[in-house]
Amino acid sequence: MCHGILSALPFSLLGLVLTPPIVASCHGAGDDPLAPGCWPNRFFMWWNSVFPHPGSQLTNGARQRTNSAYFSFCHGYHLPDETDLVILDFDTEDDDPTEEIVTHFEQLVRSILTRQDQPALLVLGHFAPQNQERFAFHGPEMAHTAVAQFYDVPHISVKGAVYNEYIANPESFKSAFYVDPVLANQRGHELLADMLVGYFQSQICTGWSAILGYSFDVPLVSTDSTGAENAKGLFGGIRHAPEDSSPEEKDPTMFNAGPYAALRVPPARLGSRPSDMDNFRESEPFCAGADNLINPLPPSLFYGSGWHAHHPGKGMPEVDEDEKRHYWFSNLPKSKLRVPIKVGRGDIAVYYLEEGRAEEDIEKGAGSAVECWVDDNYNGKRRVENMFVGEGSRPK
């Protein structure tokens, strides 16, 4: 069973509200993340035509040219506090087949599945000709497939539907569906939306058959007063552990027990060994970022530091793509900013913007750098430089 999708659909068939947030860029179909030609808006329009409800909401929390490494820690800034369905689209942005991609994407998927509201999750795969030229058929999105299989999450990709056509006529295919070797145009977004709609149509048929008693692919989920007491989240409390549950019920080794075992998140990570289980702890990503507009860093941390916070103004003319981002910056040498974080163990990452320059300029010392360390461990510092050979800028 695909994790949560078949269980979520009966709620829509019964007329309950759906709030799907989506993490996918619409740059090729309009700069607006909810542009009419962008696949999230196309999918949402179809959904409302089938399950009309005035309370349904669509949120697109994507950031252009940003991969799952950032979202694995900071997705909380981009998703609503309460949601029913999350759709992820990172097949083109996670463009390097490294173990870090697997780790970050798994962290993102697992963190969403273990949220208190426990939304259904789906991974949508966009096919980028640039990745095919680099890796042929076996591209970095295979890492997403491995994570999706481990967590029983559907990974719906357009690659299988278009691959043969692209190999036979690459130039005509790119001109028909893409604005560049990576980004889809409006027709490409229409294709993505059609693939997603087709998948949900098949799941709706399966869910409807289960409601009528013709099949048993969907577990019974009660939505009335006879359901679980104090039920929380989309699944009526099925995956929610009550605070007064016994230690046996909370034991992660018991995840295979019970009629709803398929809906539970595995008690280990993709790369875990049996010997790792004794010290296993569920990760709790924490992010201190300029994107946090609800609880930003207090101004007192910036006073006299030489650092400033940049926030794009609504309606202001945008010349540079990076002017649409929130970030901290400094033009003062030797300036220092102390950022409070909460960490027990694990990885600490710094996400920043790099500026493209000519190679000879970099060799002459163009650009700047910052040193980062935790607490007073200055000897363990890491140096971060803001230059790369190329044009424009990119998140790193």
Side-chain angles (χ1 to χ4, degrees):
M1 182 196 304
C2 293
H3 206 117
I5 299 295
L6 289 178
S7 299
L9 285 171
F11 282 76
S12 294
L13 295 173
L14 293 171
L16 300 185
V17 64
L18 179 84
T19 56
I22 291 168
V23 182
S25 176
C26 293
H27 192 52
D31 288 335
D32 188 343
L34 298 179
C38 190
W39 74 256
N41 189 71
R42 290 177 180 271
F43 169 72
F44 190 64
M45 291 297 100
W46 168 83
W47 183 276
N48 276 336
S49 70
V50 179
F51 304 112
H53 195 292
S56 294
Q57 299 177 5
L58 171 66
T59 301
N60 190 344
R63 286 180 53 172
Q64 295 177 9
R65 300 178 302 162
T66 304
N67 61 20
S68 61
Y70 165 80
F71 283 98
S72 65
F73 287 91
C74 300
H75 61 271
Y77 295 159
H78 303 268
L79 301 180
D81 293 336
E82 294 288 337
T83 187
D84 302 310
L85 170 66
V86 178
I87 302 176
L88 304 177
D89 178 12
F90 287 100
D91 275 13
T92 55
E93 294 302 333
D94 289 349
D95 56 359
D96 284 319
T98 63
E99 288 192 15
E100 288 186 352
I101 290 297
V102 178
T103 301
H104 291 144
F105 191 72
E106 181 187 14
Q107 176 69 57
L108 174 60
V109 168
R110 190 177 185 92
S111 298
I112 293 175
L113 292 177
T114 55
R115 280 170 51 123
Q116 186 173 0
D117 54 340
Q118 300 184 3
L121 181 63
L122 182 143
V123 180
L124 180 64
H126 167 50
F127 172 73
Q130 178 172 287
N131 285 350
Q132 198 282 336
E133 292 292 338
R134 294 175 61 192
F135 307 105
F137 185 81
H138 193 280
E141 72 278 359
M142 293 297 184
H144 296 171
T145 301
V147 174
Q149 289 179 342
F150 183 74
Y151 288 94
D152 204 11
V153 169
H155 185 189
I156 312 302
S157 175
V158 302
K159 184 167 73 171
V162 304
Y163 195 81
N164 289 340
E165 182 179 352
Y166 170 75
I167 291 296
N169 302 287
E171 294 305 319
S172 62
F173 182 84
K174 285 189 286 188
S175 63
F177 293 100
Y178 295 87
V179 295
D180 62 26
V182 175
L183 297 174
N185 59 19
Q186 290 205 19
R187 191 178 176 191
H189 277 267
E190 183 178 1
L191 177 61
L192 282 164
D194 288 346
M195 293 292 295
L196 188 59
V197 168
Y199 171 77
F200 272 89
Q201 287 175 334
S202 68
Q203 300 305 297
I204 289 169
C205 292
T206 302
W208 185 247
S209 297
I211 289 176
L212 296 180
Y214 300 148
S215 68
F216 305 94
D217 295 325
V218 181
L220 178 62
V221 180
S222 174
T223 61
D224 56 23
S225 59
T226 62
E229 186 177 357
N230 297 324
K232 298 182 180 180
L234 176 64
F235 304 112
I238 291 175
R239 297 211 314 258
H240 176 72
E243 295 180 359
D244 58 349
S245 59
S246 64
E248 289 76 18
E249 292 173 323
K250 294 182 180 180
D251 185 358
T253 62
M254 299 296 291
F255 81 106
N256 283 321
Y260 301 112
L263 296 178
R264 296 178 183 142
V265 178
R269 297 184 67 110
L270 184 61
S272 296
R273 272 68 170 176
S275 58
D276 300 330
M277 296 307 300
D278 291 339
N279 297 319
F280 178 80
R281 288 177 55 188
E282 195 65 64
S283 61
E284 299 180 16
F286 176 85
C287 181
D291 289 280
N292 190 349
L293 304 181
I294 299 177
N295 296 299
L297 289 185
S300 58
L301 292 178
F302 293 93
Y303 293 155
S305 68
W307 285 80
H308 308 275
H310 170 81
H311 300 294
K314 186 176 182 180
M316 65 180 292
E318 305 289 3
V319 179
D320 193 324
E321 215 172 86
D322 294 323
E323 291 302 311
K324 301 176 183 179
R325 297 178 180 272
H326 303 264
Y327 54 83
W328 302 317
F329 70 97
S330 175
N331 296 318
L332 181 66
K334 302 297 182 180
S335 57
K336 182 185 294 185
L337 177 65
R338 182 178 293 273
V339 180
I341 62 173
K342 179 175 66 175
V343 60
R345 65 178 181 180
D347 298 324
I348 298 176
V350 178
Y351 299 95
Y352 57 97
L353 290 173
E354 286 186 322
E355 182 181 353
R357 290 288 185 88
E359 185 174 1
E360 54 269 22
D361 292 337
I362 297 179
E363 292 176 351
K364 294 177 181 178
S368 58
V370 296
E371 293 179 339
C372 306
W373 63 93
V374 179
D375 294 334
D376 57 353
N377 183 24
Y378 183 75
N379 292 332
K381 66 181 181 297
R382 292 292 184 270
R383 181 182 175 88
V384 177
E385 299 181 350
N386 72 335
M387 290 287 121
F388 74 97
V389 178
E391 298 180 354
S393 60
R394 66 185 184 186
K396 186 72 172 178

